[in-house]
Amino acid sequence: MDSFAEPRKTLDDSESFSLEDVRAQVSKLEADLRDKNVPLSGRIIHVCHYLPITCAFARRPRPSDIPSPPATPPAKASDIPPSPTAEQSPSPSGEDALHAPRGTVPPPQPSQWQLHVRYGHSAMVSGIDSLAATHEQIFVGWTGDIESGSGSGTQLAGGQDASGSASGSDAAPGKVSSGSLGEEEKKELEGLLAEYHTRDEIKDGKPIHYVPVWLDDKEAHGHYDGYCKQTLWPLFHYLLWQDVATEYASADAHWAPYAAVNAAFARRVAEVYRPGDLIWIHDYHLLLVPSLIRQSLPEAAVGLFVHTPFPSSEVFRCLPRRKEILDGMLGANLVCFQTYSYSRHFTSSCVRVCGYEVTARGGIDVQGHVAAIGYCPVGVDADRVAKDTLRPGIRPKLEALRTLYEGKKIIVGRDKLDVVKGVVQKLRAFEKLLQDYPQWIGNVVLIQVTSPALSDSPKLERQVSEIVAHINGEYGSLDFIPVHHYHQTIKKDEFYALLSVADLGVITPLRDGMNTTSMEFVIAQERTKKSPLILSEFMGISSNMSDALQINPWNLSEVAAAMHRGLTMSDEEKLRRHQQLYKTVTTHTSHTWAAILAKKLLERLGSSNMARQTPFIPKGELERHYIKAKKRLFLFDYDGTLAPIVKVPSAAIPSKDTLKALEILTADPKNVVYIISGRDGAFLEQHLGHIKNLGMSAEHGGFIRAPGETTWRNFTEPLDMSWMQEVLEIFKYYTERTTGSHIEVKKSSITWHYRSADPEWGLFQCHQCQDLLENNLARKRPIEVLVGKKNLEVRPIAVNKGEIVKRILYFNPDAEFVFCAGDDKTDEDMFRALLLFPQGSADQGPKHVTLEPPLSVTLLAGSKEEAEKFEPVELAIERDAIFTTAVGHSSKRTLAVWHVTTPEEVVEHMLHLVRDALEEEKAEVQGDLAPPASNL
């Protein structure tokens, strides 16, 4: 990242567009993608922790559940009527039989399920609902705790009550354990959800299907009440778990249920997915799902939106499972946040914690898979809020509040009673207002409503009550109470009456992502006073609402001064600020937010990184061509291909399996095996020199040692290498200014490494150095500048791995099989050299090609006359027998035809090809170890 400054625009390029404009852009993008034959289903799958529906269950009594009546007491003999004779036997068709009316159908069984709207996350849900105007929606989420639909609690057979809640189950009182539900009962709910419609769904819109995720009760609560609420939520709000726990806290205590629930969600998504679906995953409850979906659905377009703040890397790195969380998130094609600063914190964490690199466009490169990073604040459903402010029950309450506080200014606050909501700081700032501006004593009241949080905090409740009592005792009187604190959930009419009557709104969270109260305040004020709003600068929407009075909630004097300014603000300034805020709130709504997310993911789908997915190399096809070929070429990069990338280059030593595979491959006279590496010759000889018949090329094609030879041939001898001293001086300059960097001088190239430097500063310096070299030195000298993994390399233009591959092909024209594997940009030269056949159908093109003498052959000829003696050669290789293989993700941009994910998979494929030789070797070893047979 070259700049840490926030971009000028706060949202998106669609910032000044209406909802209709964004939808038009989405339609155009979809049409363009279909023209390019990119599959699109017209569906969006939204994956959320909860379904926006609550479920209640009351099981119908089954015959086996009805207890048997007590035994009939024995009757007197005289009371027993005589048995009927054949003539007296009642017949089904007799007059005494009860007949059902003809044509009647048995009455339908009443449903065991009751469905109701779940309140909360209204902005997100309304945004998702709005997309039904253009797309079919699949809403995947947990059912939540299933309520007992029976209030009687009648005990049935089998230890169950009428609701179906098993005795001794994990379910809480009044709840139904998911484990007690049978498959038929689950199917019944799924059928009801498929037909369910909320009142907010668009009329004549496309359908919204609700798909439940069935979770074990214990895992579900370990996931949500445990890891989400006790570890991730505090961390994302700049608190560590021990700061909020009431007892000894372990950040890993609930990791297992968190991982299990994420896996269950990923499986459920895979079940409903169709090719061409867009998948959006919402919030911190499901951070592992993107990577899990990527594993099962590698072609899927996956977005992740994090609704909470994201902390700085210095806070995030405290999390024990930090890498697992980041890798899970980076499985998405697009990771989106509320603000630019949150996206920058995430990028910094990926670079600092995982060592991943940032692409030129700001994405994160994970083994070739690039996750784009974006930001887009959520809004509210402005039309719905505006309608709610017109409810008939609001006006009487509004007038009552005006009468009650006549002659006084009213400051309003409404927050959850949570440690990060800043209620304590707000109360202390109000006290500071009364201290610094005593003219307000008796003339201003603070009405603070605190709704109960998900987890009770008696300590915080007590602290708030003590501060309220102190202020009222210090500044109140018999006829004046400065602070009115209501710790309760208020009704919607009361809420909007409170927002409408306010002379000043004060919202001061210490950290917050999306805060709907601030936007609802602006809309409620449109019909009343146009009162100003004070917002904490630590909110996700603060940068989008720049016309509010923004404050640091920790600076009590600043907040008190802002309160005074807001209460004394002129009507003209109030109106100007309100109009700008109102325009923002009514333009950037939850509907616009949802449409922009769809647009961003479609743009990502059309990017070059997702345009072509490289398929995984087929073992069967590889083996078939290997067996058929009379001569075979194996061309391997080293770092990242045969050995994993490590922080200390000298520690990248080959594994036992790698050495074993190379030894068996080189022992076969049909095989020609080369290691084509950026390493110097000394390193290759140290670790691989003992393998007979192994060819090597060092320093990215600068040197070559043919199989069976001991001397290296230098391609740079006939070249002008005087540029190396100039490059060395430039690299020294940047080394002095980048702690942890160092220079590696080779015979044919020179490399500046910054793997041990601060990752962000190292990358910045790398870009600066690259710019200097390309714009000054490279224009005057026959050199090229290569940006590698945590390094910058300068080498001669005539020297590269592709030239070495051409040389090997030229001297082995009878080869009928090529397996070439590499992982980084320098290896693309090898893949490019193996693009021997023109693009198009294999049936239409030539079966064999001719190769001209490459530069790597003529350079070592000694003289021009000798070079001219080399003639073109016809290659025996066929198109399907060339297996160029990139190591990394399938979405990695590469010229290779196939891919594997890790270096271990390269070695696994090598061992697969030589498994017959391995089995023979094992048999020989076992034969040598077997005891001699006794002579009988």
Side-chain angles (χ1 to χ4, degrees), residues 195-214:
E195 303 298 324
Y196 183 82
H197 298 283
T198 67
R199 64 185 180 187
D200 295 326
E201 286 184 26
I202 297 174
K203 290 182 180 178
D204 303 323
K206 299 196 175 180
I208 301 177
H209 309 284
Y210 299 96
V211 178
V213 178
W214 296 101

Side-chain angles (χ1 to χ4, degrees), residues 559-679:
V559 181
M563 288 179 177
H564 176 71
R565 181 184 174 189
L567 293 171
T568 57
M569 188 178 289
S570 66
D571 291 341
E572 293 78 10
E573 186 178 359
K574 283 183 186 179
L575 180 61
R576 179 182 61 80
R577 288 177 176 271
H578 173 80
Q579 287 175 340
Q580 288 298 321
L581 288 173
Y582 186 77
K583 180 182 178 182
T584 299
V585 170
T586 54
T587 303
H588 300 305
T589 64
S590 58
H591 297 187
T592 314
W593 163 78
I596 289 175
L597 289 191
K599 171 178 171 281
K600 281 178 173 284
L601 195 52
L602 286 168
E603 288 173 339
R604 189 73 192 134
L605 191 61
S607 70
S608 57
N609 189 255
M610 288 189 67
R612 175 180 179 268
Q613 299 281 326
T614 310
F616 194 82
I617 188 167
K619 276 186 178 179
E621 194 74 7
L622 183 72
E623 184 179 20
R624 185 173 67 83
H625 283 281
Y626 175 83
I627 293 171
K628 187 173 72 171
K630 296 175 182 176
K631 189 172 187 179
R632 314 157 184 138
L633 297 183
F634 288 89
L635 313 171
F636 300 113
D637 173 43
Y638 183 74
D639 290 287
T641 303
L642 295 183
I645 299 290
V646 292
K647 194 161 189 176
V648 181
S650 59
I653 59 175
S655 67
K656 290 181 180 179
D657 285 343
T658 303
L659 294 174
K660 175 64 69 177
L662 289 173
E663 287 168 358
I664 296 176
L665 280 174
T666 53
D668 189 332
K670 292 183 179 180
N671 297 338
V672 177
V673 185
Y674 269 88
I675 303 297
I676 305 174
S677 173
R679 298 282 191 156

Side-chain angles (χ1 to χ4, degrees), residues 784-811:
E784 60 180 337
V785 182
L786 299 173
V787 179
K789 294 180 178 177
K790 305 289 186 183
N791 65 61
L792 191 65
E793 181 175 15
V794 182
R795 70 184 186 190
I797 289 177
V799 173
N800 61 65
K801 292 183 176 183
E803 284 298 322
I804 293 296
V805 169
K806 290 177 184 178
R807 178 185 174 87
I808 296 168
L809 274 175
Y810 185 83
F811 287 116

Side-chain angles (χ1 to χ4, degrees), residues 666 672-677 680-699 701-715 804 807-808 860:
T666 53
V672 177
V673 185
Y674 269 88
I675 303 297
I676 305 174
S677 173
D680 59 29
F683 178 91
L684 295 178
E685 286 189 336
Q686 177 187 353
H687 295 288
L688 302 170
H690 64 282
I691 301 176
K692 294 179 180 179
N693 299 321
L694 178 64
M696 299 180 190
S697 174
E699 300 189 22
F703 296 83
I704 190 169
R705 196 190 82 173
E709 296 183 2
T710 57
T711 58
W712 290 87
R713 306 190 73 181
N714 185 356
F715 289 99
I804 293 296
R807 178 185 174 87
I808 296 168
L860 297 182

Side-chain angles (χ1 to χ4, degrees), residues 46 53 78 159 174 182 194 213 238 304 395 454 473 515 715 747 854 907:
H46 292 276
I53 302 163
S78 59
V213 178
Y238 286 78
L304 169 66
R395 176 59 57 181
L454 291 174
N515 185 291
F715 289 99
K747 293 177 182 177
V907 177

